[in-house]
């Protein structure tokens, strides 16, 4: 069957709401491919309608089918949906399979090829049933999306491509942002586009936080049950007409255990009993208003531990949602230096439905990947999801997707898992197909670059998921600098114990420096090889490889250099060589500043300002810390006139003892002094080239 600009569409359903959004996508895609707006008429070349019988379309929710009829120029296609989402998925399958529009066309700057006509195979088929019933994204830590445009909260312009990509990946559920103002369009638009809405585990039922609604009151359910229930009732009534996966939960304000605000709950038994009673009450309230509600409970952090210990009873019919540790492993997450790694999957005798809350991006002030790709191998993801599905946790999969643009490969990988189940063994075929969607040549080498990326990340611990994202170079660095300047000393720094162990502070700093220095050659070689391949690509594809791989590599490389130089600065300071420490600290600042340049180079075209709200990894903050450190070091021996190091190391011998202060006392700037001292120490052999 041949498609062209003459192809006409007959939409036999009301083109309103979610279906209208899907049609808008198809109309745009048709115009982008064929160069003209699509025709709509009866009878159409392509008919879009709901199923009239079970024979036309599978009986499960969200199913669709393609039915062809006629011969030659009279051939027709019917896209038939079981329900609204089924119709939408059928239309988007047509967009991808027939018009060639990639699910990530927006996020990868990958417009469909312009064509005079497209020939497709006229073979009828039914869609396969997804492996996971409720599947979608948690748009979390979304600072890039927040800071991208001037308006706050983010507008439809920001959210439309997010929800479109989710639908194109076969997702049907979303938490649209984290603690955004209630007057934002995010919830309304997600529902308007046909998605199920679910909630953050710290915002049960999607209700307003207690302390926002009742500032100054003790956030205790024991003291104020009526106030809490008023908030829950308002949330239920507001959302009752939408498709909601209701989250039942009870955590403290600000996503922490509630007993931190209510210390009378001082035993596991008391805590579990309170959580169980609140969950039961929330469940009752939802069922009073909503017929056959879909409800889930987040088995997250302390709630999972209390449940596994038998302190929480969960009503039948509630989906129990288990969480990974933020690094892709289905164990309890690390809290500070406490890392018990308690398995976080249902036991064999745990009946009922189960699901997952999973991360391919995370923010934890330690070693997580917020701006960069998942640091462990794809096989860790597929292996953990396979084990979870085998344990029965396949009713629900909520994926922390971060800011979308930086995580396309892993978002694609998990969408394939929620649709068809995890691939066996390595994801070689899936990774190759992904590369083939973004690039037209050098595919084997590009696939190898991705593989080498996952192998290059720093292994900071003994477990396969103990792999460092870019935050590893920044949060510990700022903690090192803060401790160094504020109090010094040899005792272990508690905030670094999670990685460097409980050894003296100088040894902790040296540990981070060694990890960074040892990893750097691999990152630098990978960056060089990536640039070489970019040089063999057309401009558009070279830019894409930069944005979606070299960008990540360079953030790791610049971070490694900055952290290694910081460690060398500490070592020089520890031996009393303050001028050399100043040089290393200045180098660390410049290395970290390269990370800012990396962000800026990826802000071309529609992505202008995309990284200006880097408030979490916060590379600019690290640069400022390093700048403060070198100023602090200059106070040790070059103060008060900021001339003594110049005189000691840089002034010609003929001038040192006869200079006049009115002609030789212009202090050098920190940058100039650092550059000239570096040259001096290189010449004297106190500094090695490349340091």
């Amino acid at each position: 069957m041949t498609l062209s600009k003459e192809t006409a569409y007959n939409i036999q359903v009301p083109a309103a709401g979610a279906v209208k959004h899907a049609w808008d996508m198809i109309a745009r895609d048709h115009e982008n491919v064929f160069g003209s707006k699509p025709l709509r008429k009866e009878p159409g070349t392509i008919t879009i309608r709901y199923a009239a019988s079970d024979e036309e379309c599978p009986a499960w929710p969200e199913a669709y089918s393609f039915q062809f009829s006629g011969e030659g120029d009279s051939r027709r296609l019917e896209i038939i949906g079981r329900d609204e989402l089924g119709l939408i998925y059928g239309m988007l399958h047509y967009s991808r399979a027939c018009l060639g529009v990639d699910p990530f066309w927006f996020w990868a700057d990958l417009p469909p090829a312009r064509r005079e006509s497209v020939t497709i195979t006229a073979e009828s088929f039914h869609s396969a049933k997804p492996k996971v019933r409720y599947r979608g994204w948690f748009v979390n830590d979304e600072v890039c999306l927040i800071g991208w445009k001037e308006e706050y909260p983010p507008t439809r312009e920001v959210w439309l491509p997010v929800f479109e990509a989710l639908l194109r990946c076969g997702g049907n559920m979303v938490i649209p942002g984290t603690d955004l103002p209630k007057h934002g369009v995010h919830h309304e638009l997600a529902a308007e586009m046909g998605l199920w809405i679910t909630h953050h585990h710290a915002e049960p039922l999607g209700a307003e936080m207690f302390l926002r609604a009742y500032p100054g009151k003790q956030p205790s359910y024991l003291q104020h049950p009526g106030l809490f229930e008023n908030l829950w009732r308002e949330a239920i009534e507001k959302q009752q007409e939408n498709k909601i996966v209701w989250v039942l939960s009870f955590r403290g304000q600000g996503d922490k255990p509630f007993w931190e605000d209510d210390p009378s709950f001082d035993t596991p038994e008391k805590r579990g009993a309170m959580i169980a009673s609140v969950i039961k009450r929330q469940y009752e309230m939802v069922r009073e208003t909503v017929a056959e509600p879909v409800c889930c409970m987040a088995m997250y952090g302390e709630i999972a531990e209390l449940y596994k210990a038998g302190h929480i009873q969960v009503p039948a019919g509630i989906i129990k949602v288990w969480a990974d540790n933020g690094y892709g492993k289905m164990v309890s997450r690390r809290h500070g230096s406490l890392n018990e790694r308690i398995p976080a999957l249902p036991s064999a005798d745990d009946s009922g439905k189960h699901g997952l809350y999973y991360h391919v991006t995370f923010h934890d002030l330690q070693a997580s990947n917020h701006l960069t790709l998942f640091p462990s191998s794809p096989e860790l993801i597929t292996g953990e999801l396979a084990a979870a599905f085998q344990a029965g946790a396949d009713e629900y999969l909520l994926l922390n997707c971060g800011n979308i643009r930086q995580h396309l490969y892993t978002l694609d990988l998990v969408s394939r898992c929620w649709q068809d189940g995890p691939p066996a063994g390595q994801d070689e075929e899936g990774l190759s197909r992904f590369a083939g969607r973004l690039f037209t040549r050098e595919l084997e080498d590009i696939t190898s670059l991705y593989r080498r990326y996952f192998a290059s990340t720093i292994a900071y611990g003994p477990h396969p998921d103990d792999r460092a994202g870019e935050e590893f170079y920044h949060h510990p660095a700022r903690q090192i600098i803060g401790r160094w300047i504020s109090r010094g000393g040899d005792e272990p720094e508690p905030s670094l114990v999670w990685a460097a162990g409980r050894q003296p502070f100088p040894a902790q700093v040296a540990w981070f420096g060694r990890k960074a220095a040892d990893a750097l050659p691999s990152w630098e070689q990978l960056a060089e090889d990536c640039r070489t391949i970019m040089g063999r690509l057309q401009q558009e594809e070279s830019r894409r490889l930069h944005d979606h791989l070299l960008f990540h590599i360079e953030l790791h490389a610049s971070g490694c250099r900055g952290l290694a130089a910081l460690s060398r600065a500490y070592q020089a300071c520890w031996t009393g060589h303050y001028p050399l420490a100043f040089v290393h600290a200045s180098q660390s600042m410049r290395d970290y500043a390269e990370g800012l340049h990396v962000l800026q180079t990826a802000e071309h075209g529609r992505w202008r300002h995309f990284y200006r709200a880097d408030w979490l990894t916060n590379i600019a903050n690290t640069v400022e810390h390093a700048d403060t450190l070198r100023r602090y070091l200059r106070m040790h021996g070059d103060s008060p006139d900021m001339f003594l190091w110049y005189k000691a190391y840089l002034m010609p011998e003929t001038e040192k003892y006869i200079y006049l202060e009115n002609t030789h006392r212009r202090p050098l700037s920190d940058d100039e002094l650092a550059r000239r001292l570096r040259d001096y120490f290189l010449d004297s052999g106190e500094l090695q080239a490349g340091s």
Side-chain angles (χ1 to χ4, degrees):
M1 181 176 177
T2 300
L3 308 174
S4 71
K5 66 180 182 180
E6 304 300 330
T7 297
Y9 299 82
N10 177 17
I11 305 178
Q12 295 186 349
V13 299
V19 174
K20 181 183 185 303
H21 278 286
W23 168 247
D24 289 344
M25 297 176 208
I26 298 302
R28 181 195 61 219
D29 298 343
H30 179 103
E31 183 174 4
N32 287 339
V33 172
F34 299 124
S36 62
K37 295 184 183 298
L39 303 173
R40 289 185 60 181
K41 65 179 183 180
E42 297 184 36
T45 314
I46 297 174
T47 298
I48 300 170
R49 65 176 178 85
Y50 287 123
S53 67
D54 289 347
E55 289 72 26
E56 289 189 327
C57 190
W60 55 77
E62 304 170 1
Y64 63 90
S65 65
F66 277 28
Q67 301 293 337
F68 291 89
S69 60
E71 298 291 337
D73 293 340
S74 299
R75 199 179 298 278
R76 299 287 183 264
L77 165 62
E78 289 187 300
I79 301 174
I80 304 171
R82 165 61 55 185
D83 50 27
E84 183 180 70
L85 272 174
L87 201 65
I88 291 169
Y89 292 143
M91 295 165 73
L92 294 178
H93 179 82
Y94 166 80
S95 171
R96 181 174 187 174
C98 302
L99 300 182
V101 179
D102 192 89
F104 296 124
W105 70 269
F106 179 91
W107 300 97
D109 294 303
L110 189 63
R114 182 64 66 89
R115 308 281 292 276
E116 288 294 324
S117 63
V118 175
T119 300
I120 62 174
T121 302
E123 185 175 334
S124 299
F125 73 92
H126 295 311
S127 64
K129 187 176 184 179
K131 175 67 177 175
V132 179
R133 173 66 182 95
Y134 301 102
R135 53 202 184 274
W137 292 347
F138 179 10
V139 187
N140 187 28
D141 298 323
E142 66 278 21
V143 292
C144 296
L145 301 179
I146 288 172
W148 187 11
K149 308 297 180 183
E150 294 292 339
E151 298 83 0
Y152 179 81
T155 63
R156 293 171 71 92
E157 178 188 10
V158 172
W159 289 113
L160 277 168
V162 173
F163 301 148
E164 176 179 336
L166 174 57
L167 287 166
R168 288 181 181 273
C169 287
N172 63 4
M173 176 179 69
V174 69
I175 301 180
T178 312
D179 196 28
L180 293 173
K182 300 300 182 183
H183 66 270
V185 301
H186 42 293
H187 280 93
E188 175 188 341
L189 182 59
E192 187 180 298
M193 294 180 72
L195 291 163
W196 289 77
I197 310 296
T198 192
H199 312 117
H200 191 288
H201 56 256
E203 298 177 312
L205 306 177
E208 186 175 6
M209 287 281 190
F210 182 92
L211 284 179
R212 283 214 178 95
Y214 307 109
K217 289 189 177 295
Q218 177 71 11
S220 167
Y221 183 74
L222 200 62
Q223 295 181 28
H224 305 294
L227 298 183
F228 273 94
E229 291 182 16
N230 285 342
L231 296 177
W232 299 339
R233 186 171 291 105
E234 289 172 6
I236 294 168
E237 292 174 353
K238 182 177 180 180
Q239 301 170 88
Q240 62 181 316
E241 299 301 324
N242 294 331
K243 295 185 297 186
I244 303 293
V245 179
W246 301 92
V247 171
L248 315 178
S249 183
F250 191 58
R251 300 201 81 210
Q253 304 296 290
D255 196 12
K256 62 186 178 184
F258 72 87
W259 51 85
E260 292 186 16
D261 294 320
D262 201 342
S264 64
F265 290 90
D266 54 1
T267 67
E269 291 80 6
K270 291 180 183 178
R271 295 166 180 174
M274 173 56 73
I275 292 171
S277 67
V278 169
I279 297 299
K280 183 173 182 292
R281 179 60 184 139
Q282 290 173 350
Y283 193 36
E284 290 171 350
M285 292 176 68
V286 174
R287 295 174 71 188
E288 288 169 2
T289 305
V290 181
E292 299 182 359
V294 180
C295 296
C296 68
M297 177 178 174
M299 312 302 291
Y300 189 74
E302 73 283 351
I303 293 179
E305 295 166 15
L306 291 168
Y307 174 78
K308 286 209 166 217
H311 300 306
I312 298 176
Q313 302 300 315
V314 180
I318 295 175
I319 305 168
K320 294 183 278 288
V321 179
W322 302 86
D324 74 310
N325 64 348
Y327 293 82
K329 189 71 176 175
M330 293 304 300
V331 296
S332 59
R333 64 170 292 189
R334 181 171 55 234
H335 294 277
S337 59
L338 180 64
N339 192 14
E340 297 183 344
R341 296 180 66 86
I342 299 170
L345 283 176
S347 59
D349 60 351
D350 195 341
S351 60
K353 296 178 179 180
H354 298 269
L356 302 175
Y357 171 40
Y358 199 78
H359 295 77
V360 294
T361 174
F362 193 42
H363 167 63
D364 71 346
L365 305 174
Q366 291 182 334
S368 46
N369 67 304
H370 172 65
L371 296 175
T372 56
L373 272 167
F374 189 73
S376 294
S377 72
E379 288 67 49
L380 186 138
I381 295 174
T382 57
E384 290 300 295
L385 293 184
F389 291 170
Q390 182 66 31
D394 60 358
E395 180 72 8
Y396 170 114
L397 201 170
L398 181 67
L399 180 66
N400 192 312
C401 65
N403 294 276
I404 319 299
R405 188 185 180 207
Q406 303 96 317
H407 312 291
L408 300 188
Y409 167 61
T410 45
L411 295 181
D412 179 73
L413 172 60
V414 175
S415 74
R416 288 186 275 119
C417 293
W418 72 34
Q419 185 66 38
D420 303 320
Q426 293 191 327
D427 189 43
E428 291 299 335
E429 183 180 351
L431 180 55
S432 296
R433 285 203 307 268
F434 176 80
R437 286 158 48 190
L438 271 61
F439 308 98
T440 58
R441 53 193 299 183
E442 311 294 338
L443 298 183
E444 186 174 342
D445 285 343
I446 290 173
T447 301
S448 176
L449 290 176
Y450 272 91
R451 279 284 172 199
R452 289 168 57 194
Y453 172 91
F454 300 119
S456 296
T457 55
I458 290 175
Y460 62 83
H463 307 289
D465 53 303
D466 291 339
R467 310 288 292 202
E470 87 289 339
E471 292 197 347
F472 180 87
Y473 314 115
H474 295 275
H475 292 284
R478 299 198 291 266
Q479 289 162 333
I480 287 169
I481 293 169
R483 160 66 184 272
W484 181 355
I485 292 177
S486 64
R487 65 184 188 279
D490 290 349
E491 69 276 8
E493 168 55 41
S495 65
L496 303 178
V497 169
W498 66 271
R502 199 169 294 281
Q503 53 183 331
F505 179 59
Q508 291 177 316
V509 177
W511 182 92
F512 277 98
R514 283 194 305 273
K515 284 292 183 183
D518 290 348
L520 183 57
S522 177
W523 288 118
E524 290 183 329
Q525 186 62 56
L526 189 55
E528 181 180 340
D529 294 345
C530 190
R531 292 189 193 99
T532 298
I533 294 173
M534 285 170 57
R536 301 201 295 262
L537 299 174
Q538 297 294 326
Q539 181 178 359
E540 181 180 319
E541 294 194 1
S542 177
R543 177 85 261 176
R544 190 173 300 125
L545 187 57
H546 170 276
D547 291 352
H548 295 284
L549 192 54
L550 183 60
F551 169 87
H552 305 261
I553 296 167
E554 288 183 331
L555 282 181
H556 279 278
S558 62
C560 278
R561 284 191 288 267
L563 189 55
L566 176 62
S567 179
R568 292 194 297 270
Y570 186 85
Q571 177 63 29
C573 179
W574 192 64
T575 60
H577 199 332
Y578 295 109
L580 184 58
F582 171 80
V583 169
H584 285 308
S586 297
Q587 183 62 53
S588 178
M589 187 193 78
R590 288 193 295 272
D591 292 332
Y592 281 124
E594 287 181 17
L596 293 177
H597 177 69
V598 171
L599 299 186
Q600 292 161 3
T601 58
E603 290 189 319
H604 55 88
R606 67 161 64 105
W607 305 111
R608 187 167 179 263
H609 299 315
F610 191 72
Y611 295 107
R612 67 175 163 185
D614 171 32
W615 302 322
L616 301 184
T617 298
N618 210 336
I619 298 174
N621 191 7
T622 312
V623 174
E624 291 166 358
H625 269 68
D627 190 24
T628 300
L629 173 64
R630 69 173 184 163
R631 293 170 184 268
Y632 166 81
L633 289 169
R634 193 171 178 182
M635 300 295 290
H636 290 68
D638 203 33
S639 176
D641 300 312
M642 303 305 180
F643 178 73
L644 298 178
W645 288 351
Y646 172 80
K647 178 182 176 183
Y649 297 101
L650 304 175
M651 180 178 272
E653 288 293 324
T654 57
E655 299 293 325
K656 280 187 179 180
Y657 307 104
I658 59 173
Y659 69 90
L660 297 177
E661 291 191 1
N662 66 319
T663 59
H664 285 81
R665 292 297 293 275
R666 179 184 68 85
L668 299 180
S669 69
D670 290 337
D671 286 337
E672 185 178 359
L673 180 62
R675 179 182 58 79
R676 294 178 65 174
L677 283 177
R678 182 179 185 279
D679 292 342
Y680 174 85
F681 291 133
L682 281 171
D683 290 341
S684 69
E686 294 180 78
L687 185 66
Q688 300 298 315
S691 297

